[in-house]
Amino acid sequence: MREELLMIPGPVPVLPRILDAMSKPMIPHRGDEFKQLYVEVVENLRAIFKTRNDLFPLSGSGTCAMEAAIANLVDNETSVVCIANGKFGERFYEIAERYTEHVTVVNFDWGSPIELEKVKVTLESNPDVVTMVHNETSTGILNPAKEVGKLTKKHDAVFVLDCITSIGGNDVPVDQLGVDIAIVGSQKCLGAPPGLSALSVSDKVLDLMRANKKRPYYMDIIAYKKSLDKKQTPYTPALPLFFALHEALEVIIEEGMAKRTERHRMLSAMVRTAVTSLGLSLFPQLNEVSEYSNTVTAINMPSGFSDEQLKGGMRRKGVIVAGGQENLKGKIFRMATMGNITEREVSMAIRALGEVLMEKDVKGG
Ligand SMILES: *Cc1c(COP(=O)(O)O)cnc(C)c1O
């Protein structure tokens, strides 16, 4: 067994009972046993999403569900506004551009909060679809879902929200926020292995998808809807991953989402306090504490450290942290507090970080 502590924003460490679930013998995916498992997965996810909408687990990582959302909704005529202040916000833009020419991006610097005034002005064009990332994993920011939900509603647009690193670690009342399509991935706050995603879809949006003649084949949400009514998936599901997700959702239900959210909040606050007291600074430039992600913390690279020195130093102490993505590579590093991670593990990571910083000081590196 490796003794490494994964503190990257997915995949996260997976509890033994969840790993064990994957080694069960295969079952027929049209049989009663799968139907029961599938229904329980869907119902537990709906409870965690706080939604009354239909919910579709997909055999594919988070990006699969992001593309499914766009591809089912959008044809050449559809106008899409993508709000972006980081890598994953921009991913929606890149996906949408494959399906329609009418894409507008409201861009903010990576690490800056979303300015609602600017969003408001852009939405005056009355787009059909608005996309945003709730928890921007590349920069450690929680974006204002409620406010943007209100604005999209006012313009009668479909609100697609990537909740891949918020659902399961934060309170995300999908229906209350006015989210038409909410997306989650298995390997982040749900604490399951990578390879599955899920999206909830409102009735209004299912109708829009039905009317779209250019829906994709494999990720056809209307095919998923027909199968869901028979407690099945249209194609062979990734069974071992479903076994694991089923168990991971049991773990969440046992802990309770309120306690789980509080644990995530506490652990990320612990990381922020610790890195600040070690003399480091947080990367996002925010006005409110509530805008900091409670599932991943982005920290400015300490001066004199390269990406490899920081990550390598941590790795030698048994802790795997993430670097920055794209233009943030070498400028920041990220510590995730997602899933079933414990206070003890986070303390260990903080101690390791303190040692890495101190050793460099001593050696004068
Ligand atoms: C991880 C992540 C994704 C992409 O998920 P994959 O599982 O790698 O496809 C999308 N959005 C956000 C916010 C993420 O953190």
Side-chain angles (χ1 to χ4, degrees):
M1 277 305 239
R2 268 189 311 163
E3 290 287 324
E4 281 174 348
L5 170 62
L6 260 187
M7 276 190 90
I8 62 174
V12 300
V14 176
L15 293 177
R17 65 181 267 200
I18 298 171
L19 284 177
D20 288 349
M22 279 192 291
S23 62
K24 282 203 301 207
M26 293 306 105
I27 56 173
H29 63 290
R30 304 289 179 214
D32 287 343
E33 193 179 341
F34 182 74
K35 284 183 186 172
Q36 189 182 340
L37 177 133
Y38 188 59
V39 167
E40 284 172 14
V41 164
V42 168
E43 287 314 313
N44 283 341
L45 279 172
R46 287 174 77 215
I48 294 164
F49 277 52
K50 297 190 176 167
T51 186
R52 300 165 68 97
N53 293 336
D54 278 322
L55 187 142
F56 307 100
L58 304 180
S59 297
S61 74
T63 310
C64 172
M66 291 171 81
E67 184 157 20
I70 300 295
N72 279 277
L73 259 178
V74 171
D75 66 18
N76 305 334
E77 305 303 314
T78 315
S79 56
V80 183
V81 165
C82 301
I83 305 167
N85 60 345
K87 181 178 176 67
F88 295 105
E90 290 180 9
R91 181 166 297 179
F92 261 136
Y93 168 70
E94 291 167 7
I95 294 170
E97 274 201 317
R98 301 269 175 120
Y99 295 91
T100 172
E101 284 171 15
H102 309 283
V103 185
T104 310
V105 60
V106 197
N107 241 327
F108 301 94
D109 289 342
W110 290 26
S112 295
I114 279 164
E115 292 163 38
L116 290 169
E117 269 313 307
K118 210 169 143 188
V119 173
K120 214 182 239 171
V121 172
T122 314
L123 294 194
E124 293 300 332
S125 68
N126 287 319
D128 301 308
V129 178
V130 176
T131 71
M132 189 172 79
V133 170
H134 192 200
N135 188 82
E136 184 43 83
T137 316
S138 62
T139 60
I141 295 182
L142 186 70
N143 285 326
K146 192 172 159 199
E147 290 74 7
V148 172
K150 274 192 195 140
L151 289 175
T152 34
K153 194 169 208 102
K154 194 174 139 212
H155 293 276
D156 205 23
V158 175
F159 187 24
V160 182
L161 191 64
D162 169 343
C163 306
I164 291 176
T165 50
S166 58
I167 287 179
N170 211 336
D171 182 36
V172 188
V174 166
D175 292 353
Q176 217 175 299
L177 294 172
V179 179
D180 295 291
I181 301 185
I183 300 167
V184 78
S186 57
Q187 81 277 29
K188 314 263 174 131
C189 304
L190 299 179
L196 296 182
S197 53
L199 69 171
S200 67
V201 185
S202 66
D203 286 347
K204 173 182 98 175
V205 170
L206 280 175
D207 286 339
L208 291 172
M209 288 176 172
R210 265 185 212 101
N212 179 10
K213 296 288 173 266
K214 290 286 186 186
R215 293 195 305 275
Y217 188 89
Y218 190 64
M219 289 184 290
D220 181 351
I221 294 301
I222 299 308
Y224 269 87
K225 167 67 180 158
K226 284 184 189 145
S227 294
L228 178 68
D229 295 340
K230 295 183 289 187
K231 304 173 185 168
Q232 292 187 357
T233 56
Y235 319 110
T236 316
L239 284 173
L241 296 176
F242 272 84
F243 296 156
L245 179 60
H246 183 267
E247 190 66 18
L249 297 175
E250 292 291 324
V251 170
I252 295 177
I253 302 296
E254 282 166 24
E255 182 177 21
M257 259 322 292
K259 264 181 81 181
R260 193 174 176 90
T261 299
E262 176 53 24
R263 177 169 55 78
H264 279 80
R265 194 201 58 74
M266 191 270 288
L267 293 179
S268 57
M270 204 171 118
V271 171
R272 290 197 301 273
T273 307
V275 296
T276 323
S277 61
L278 286 170
L280 306 186
S281 57
L282 300 171
F283 170 66
Q285 297 101 52
L286 303 172
N287 307 315
E288 307 277 343
V289 178
S290 61
E291 293 174 316
Y292 284 104
S293 165
N294 73 343
T295 64
V296 58
T297 302
I299 304 146
N300 286 315
M301 192 62 81
S303 62
F305 274 87
S306 69
D307 185 66
E308 189 37 49
Q309 280 171 324
L310 191 286
K311 286 195 305 192
M314 292 293 280
R315 190 165 58 236
R316 281 188 286 280
K317 298 188 182 297
V319 183
I320 313 293
V321 297
Q325 292 164 295
E326 299 192 18
N327 58 341
L328 291 179
K329 192 171 167 66
K331 300 209 171 94
I332 65 167
F333 68 100
R334 294 171 300 149
M335 294 171 80
T337 45
M338 291 177 188
N340 297 310
I341 197 160
T342 62
E343 184 175 345
R344 198 168 142 264
E345 289 168 323
V346 174
S347 303
M348 193 183 110
I350 290 167
R351 195 164 57 240
L353 178 62
E355 287 170 10
V356 168
L357 297 174
M358 198 174 67
E359 284 162 16
K360 175 101 168 172
D361 257 6
V362 171
K363 286 194 214 132

